[in-house]
Amino acid sequence: AGQMTCKTHLVGGAVAAMLLTLAASEQELGLKPFTTPEFFGVLTASLLGSLAPDIDQGKKSKVGSMVKPVASVCSKCFGHRTFCHSVWFLLLLYFIIRGIFPSMAFFGLAFCIGGASHLLLDCFNPRGVRLFWPIPLTFHFGNVKTASGRGSMLENWQEYVFRVALVCMFAALVLVDAYRRAAPFGGI
């Protein structure tokens, strides 16, 4: 069994962005509803974050091929599914983003929420994820088998079903958000 593909992680990042958008539209966690540009900023940050943990695969990952020197260091120092697949990595990224771009701290949070969606999805692989690496506690919620994008649709059927379910969840969240935005005007 392989790992979730880039496409599945991107869909998971989009779902994470919509959940954050809904939390904002309900003014949860002290958030205010997003403007359209803010939503696209949140979506972009979450999508990028959803790929970030695979930087530890070096140039074999989409994100690793974009930042080869950083990916090479992560791959050599840690290997796959260790530090970069932990909550510590996401916290470090958040504080780096917040430190370099203080006015963009919220988008740093969206980035890390996208990264958290990656970790959550990887928990559905047979291998699971050590979220608190180096503590040897593995989180494993299922056995979604993949061929990591290789092989036929039949070989990857579990991941395709998983991805379709995520797309449906994303669509449902978009509809809920649209309905809530239209509610003050009499609903849809």
Side-chain angles (χ1 to χ4, degrees):
Q3 311 161 62
M4 295 286 173
T5 61
C6 174
K7 291 175 187 173
T8 302
H9 284 303
L10 285 170
V11 175
V15 169
M18 279 310 304
L19 289 171
L20 189 55
T21 299
L22 286 172
S25 71
E26 289 296 309
Q27 299 184 355
E28 298 289 334
L29 309 171
L31 299 173
K32 61 178 180 48
F34 299 145
T35 62
T36 300
E38 287 171 333
F39 168 73
F40 283 106
V42 165
L43 180 62
T44 300
S46 185
L47 291 173
L48 291 172
S50 73
L51 301 179
D54 278 341
I55 198 167
D56 62 10
Q57 285 187 295
K59 60 187 175 196
K60 290 188 277 181
S61 72
K62 297 273 189 225
V63 70
S65 63
M66 291 187 274
V67 287
K68 290 178 186 167
V70 175
S72 179
V73 168
C74 288
S75 179
K76 287 180 179 142
C77 290
F78 303 111
H80 188 48
R81 287 206 183 177
T82 57
F83 175 69
C84 295
H85 276 70
S86 72
V87 296
W88 316 124
F89 175 68
L90 296 179
L91 287 170
L92 176 66
L93 288 176
Y94 173 74
F95 286 113
I96 288 172
I97 293 167
R98 193 175 112 180
I100 296 173
F101 307 104
S103 65
M104 305 295 276
F106 183 74
F107 294 107
L109 176 64
F111 181 91
C112 292
I113 288 172
S117 76
H118 182 113
L119 302 183
L120 177 66
L121 290 174
D122 277 358
C123 287
F124 286 91
N125 280 138
R127 192 169 156 199
V129 177
R130 289 171 56 191
L131 294 175
F132 299 101
W133 181 89
I135 298 168
L137 176 63
T138 301
F139 290 80
H140 172 92
F141 306 131
N143 283 313
V144 177
K145 293 181 175 69
T146 69
S148 295
R150 296 179 295 275
S152 69
M153 190 169 183
L154 184 61
E155 292 171 300
N156 289 301
W157 74 270
Q158 288 181 331
E159 185 174 6
Y160 283 107
V161 168
F162 202 70
R163 192 180 308 152
V164 167
L166 286 171
V167 168
C168 291
M169 182 184 296
F170 177 76
L173 291 169
V174 168
L175 290 172
V176 166
D177 186 56
Y179 178 78
R180 287 187 175 165
R181 288 176 188 266
F185 306 106
I188 293 178

